[in-house]
Amino acid sequence: MPSFPVPLIVAVVLGFMFLHMWLSERRHVPLAGLLGLCAAQALIISLNQHYGLRGMSTVQPLTATLIPPAAWLAFQMTADRHPERRDLVHLLGPVAALAALSLFPPTLDVLIPAQFAGYGLAVLGFSWRSTGLAHSIIEAGEWPRRIWQIIGVALIVSAMSDVLIVFAMVAGVPELTPWIVTIFMTGNLLVVGFLCLSGARVTDSPKSVTRVEELSGDDEMLMQRLEALMREGRPYLDPDLTLARLARKLRLPAKQVSAAVNRATGENISRYINAARIEAAKSALLEGETVTQAMFSCGFQTKSNFNREFLRIVGSSPTTWLRDGDHK
């Protein structure tokens, strides 16, 4: 009776997730690429470890070295940086792996874990220090940043699994290798895959923008422009609004807008926009709209986010606010 190894099941699940993301209208190409790589790697692990397909033992380490730089580039593009020629340097990892495989394969036992750990630490560090991801939907708040922090940890854990495999071989217990691969490596591929899908749901695909000269005006002038835009254009009603889109409307760099809002209001851009949305929702409720109608009309997409922000700003739920007459 045929059996289906865990890595193969993971590959099928990730493959469906990749197709869903790629074919959806709101696909995010960098995350879709990372998800596709995870699906391919899970399949290769299955063909190598379970079915012993010839050649897969050579392919597996090479495709593994593509995942960390793909994760890093996807993170960078979410954080408002477009691909550049200098990014070709990230091909050095796969090229080094190919050279090691041809000349001295044992060096792969050091090279691959070092790559996963290095890129994992980079993603974790930069996402930890980042004040916001410019192409993340503002409603999502801190969730996109946390997604990337978890992805960074997952890459580091993958490096640890490679080290465990080496220890198992040195200790003379190679029979533990399939268990380590199943539990750690495929488990982490699945985690990264699900986080990619979550990230696609809360991010907006970066679009090419015309670079403008960074203005030298002070925060007060920038905030005056922003507040005028909020009054006249009401960009906060767009449920897919991102910091990058808002900055393009102001013709200013995203980081400058974010920093000015932080300094002027003491809040991040997400809370600033959501506060305007809650004011719009309050007006809609007073005009007779239902809570759900008000939620959608003011730019929110999920009831949990709407209720959380309403409670934070108003101090009560929308229903309680209306019932108790707190608006009078």
Side-chain angles (χ1 to χ4, degrees):
M1 184 176 181
S3 61
F4 295 94
V6 172
L8 182 59
I9 296 172
V10 170
V12 171
V13 172
L14 293 178
F16 275 114
M17 291 164 60
F18 165 73
L19 289 175
H20 170 74
M21 185 187 299
W22 185 261
L23 298 175
S24 65
E25 292 183 0
R26 297 175 60 191
R27 70 179 183 271
H28 191 299
V29 174
L31 285 176
L34 178 57
L35 183 54
L37 277 175
C38 290
Q41 186 66 9
L43 176 62
I44 291 168
I45 289 173
S46 174
L47 295 177
N48 180 34
Q49 299 289 338
H50 189 79
Y51 295 108
L53 190 65
R54 180 178 297 179
M56 288 299 103
S57 59
T58 300
V59 174
Q60 182 177 328
L62 297 179
T63 52
T65 58
L66 294 174
I67 293 177
W72 171 252
L73 291 175
F75 167 70
Q76 288 286 289
M77 293 181 71
T78 305
D80 196 27
R81 188 177 74 78
H82 301 280
E84 301 174 357
R85 284 189 177 182
R86 63 180 182 178
D87 291 322
L88 293 175
V89 71
H90 297 290
L91 293 176
L92 290 177
V95 170
L98 181 61
L101 192 64
S102 304
L103 301 175
F104 192 57
T107 56
L108 290 173
D109 295 336
V110 176
L111 178 63
I112 294 177
Q115 241 194 312
F116 272 83
Y119 278 101
L121 288 170
V123 170
L124 185 61
F126 277 87
S127 61
W128 191 270
R129 294 196 300 270
S130 174
T131 57
L133 303 179
H135 294 284
S136 299
I137 290 177
I138 287 176
E139 180 189 350
E142 289 293 296
W143 177 233
R145 194 159 66 102
R146 289 171 186 162
I147 285 175
W148 282 107
Q149 289 170 356
I150 299 172
I151 288 178
V153 171
L155 292 174
I156 296 171
V157 171
S158 292
M160 294 170 59
S161 70
D162 286 339
V163 173
L164 286 175
I165 290 173
V166 173
F167 282 158
M169 300 297 291
V170 172
V173 284
E175 62 273 12
L176 293 180
T177 298
W179 287 100
I180 296 172
V181 170
T182 298
I183 295 173
F184 284 89
M185 298 182 70
T186 59
N188 274 286
L189 288 175
L190 191 59
V191 167
V192 171
F194 272 111
L195 290 171
C196 285
L197 189 61
S198 298
R201 288 173 177 166
V202 296
T203 57
D204 174 50
S205 298
K207 299 177 181 177
S208 298
V209 296
T210 302
R211 292 183 180 272
V212 298
E213 291 292 327
E214 187 169 345
L215 303 181
S216 59
D218 59 20
D219 293 340
E220 185 177 351
M221 291 182 62
L222 189 153
M223 289 304 297
Q224 288 175 354
R225 291 179 57 189
L226 177 57
E227 288 166 5
L229 174 65
M230 296 286 279
R231 286 193 308 269
E232 299 165 9
R234 301 202 294 175
Y236 53 85
L237 297 182
D238 177 9
D240 293 325
L241 181 65
T242 66
L243 173 58
R245 289 186 180 184
L246 189 64
R248 284 200 295 272
K249 292 179 184 294
L250 293 169
R251 299 183 62 79
L252 289 169
K255 289 183 179 179
Q256 185 178 348
V257 175
S258 177
V261 170
N262 289 342
R263 286 191 292 265
T265 68
E267 302 279 11
N268 59 34
I269 191 68
S270 176
R271 289 194 166 194
Y272 176 79
I273 293 297
N274 285 341
R277 287 172 170 166
I278 293 302
E279 288 301 313
K282 288 163 65 177
S283 298
L285 290 170
L286 291 176
E287 291 172 3
E289 289 189 11
T290 65
V291 172
T292 301
Q293 289 172 334
M295 177 190 78
F296 285 119
S297 67
C298 73
F300 282 95
Q301 299 185 80
T302 63
K303 199 166 186 177
S304 60
N305 285 342
F306 175 63
N307 288 336
R308 183 194 67 237
E309 291 300 293
F310 202 100
L311 179 62
R312 179 181 67 84
I313 295 167
V314 180
S316 62
S317 68
T319 304
T320 302
W321 179 75
L322 279 173
R323 185 193 63 203
D324 295 346
D326 294 338
H327 51 280
K328 296 179 180 179

